[in-house]
Amino acid sequence: MRHLIDILDLTTEQIDGLIGTANDIIAHPDRYADKCHGKKLATLFYEPSTRTRLSFEAAMYELGGQVLGFSEAQSSSASKGESVADTARIISCYADIIAMRHFKEGAPLVASLHASVPVINAGDGGHNHPTQTLTDLLTIQKEKRRLNELVIGFCGDLKFGRTVHSLLNAMSRYDKVRFVLISPDELRIPEYLRHEMQTKGVCFRETQNLEESLPELDILYMTRVQRERFFNEADYIRLRDSYILTPEKLRSARADLSILHPLPRVNEISVQVDADPRACYFRQALYGKYIRMALILWLLDIQ
Ligand code: NCD
């Protein structure tokens, strides 16, 4: 049975296939309207979400399927002490596929080991977020018409930002991709990831300076400082406004820069940037629905 726990569970060919299906859905939505008739998606969200959960739900409805689930741990039996393993076993009796977001790293993996239906990691703590990465890859493909030969800047909370970790892993596999990792010292990428990237010979440099790095970038991936992962509020307050992207700063950027953000935005992109044609983040959120439709079909093995 197929699951999606880590973006590296997918080969680049499989990712190409999902992007192809997503583009076909965008072009011919009517052909897909009944593909999941009689199927149910369970969304098990132990952490807050707007885009991921609702785009999964919209995806399943647009495929003609149905949705059940919960959007906070408090309203599930987790609050009574039920384990993720037991919950996964139970939900397998009620649904054909599970999307799980959990505050603990590895929880969706545990679920996949006990479920008898496909499990999708919809974000596990500060670890990974493979379906956001699929969204990001579709966005890059649509904006740039390629996934190789790119200079990609990641800016903000690279330590706790799970979308960053998954996208770095995914993009590291494409040719001639170079990363500029822009963060305060305390929010640099985790050591395990740096080590993996060095071992694989991935081309990257780390810096604290956004302005200096901007002119060389094809893609700027902004992120929010992940308040919920901090141990202490004072550190969060000190670091939250480390980077604020403004129209003035963007003057030195390339005319064909693509600005991505997984959202939600807090303060790191000024709202004045939204009108800039280089701002892709709202389109990106829309693409998230289509790529999740493609993913559901693939995991359920529906042609
Ligand atoms: C991201 C997440 O949950 O990690 N949001 C999302 O799924 N689009 C990014 C974030 O919360 O900052």
Side-chain angles (χ1 to χ4, degrees), residues 132 136 153-165 167 182-184 187 220-226 239-245 259-269 284:
Q132 181 62 46
D136 302 338
F154 286 88
C155 179
D157 187 347
L158 311 189
K159 177 179 180 184
F160 296 118
R162 55 192 174 196
T163 67
V164 171
H165 307 155
L167 187 56
I182 308 154
S183 71
L187 298 180
L220 172 61
Y221 193 94
M222 291 297 292
T223 62
R224 140 187 103 86
V225 175
Q226 306 277 299
L239 292 166
R240 67 179 172 189
D241 290 332
S242 299
Y243 303 99
I244 300 178
L245 189 67
I259 306 164
L260 275 66
H261 190 311
L263 303 178
R265 155 181 55 189
V266 183
N267 218 10
E268 57 283 351
I269 302 182
Q284 185 182 356

Side-chain angles (χ1 to χ4, degrees), residues 48-94:
S49 169
T50 300
R51 269 151 297 274
T52 305
R53 185 171 63 84
L54 296 185
S55 66
F56 260 119
E57 298 193 358
M60 195 52 167
Y61 286 126
E62 289 190 25
L63 290 166
Q66 289 174 305
V67 177
L68 64 165
F70 52 83
S71 55
E72 49 182 327
Q74 269 322 97
S75 61
S76 79
S77 280
S79 63
K80 301 180 189 168
E82 185 168 59
S83 69
V84 163
D86 282 1
T87 302
R89 205 171 277 146
I90 300 308
I91 303 300
S92 299
C93 309
Y94 309 144

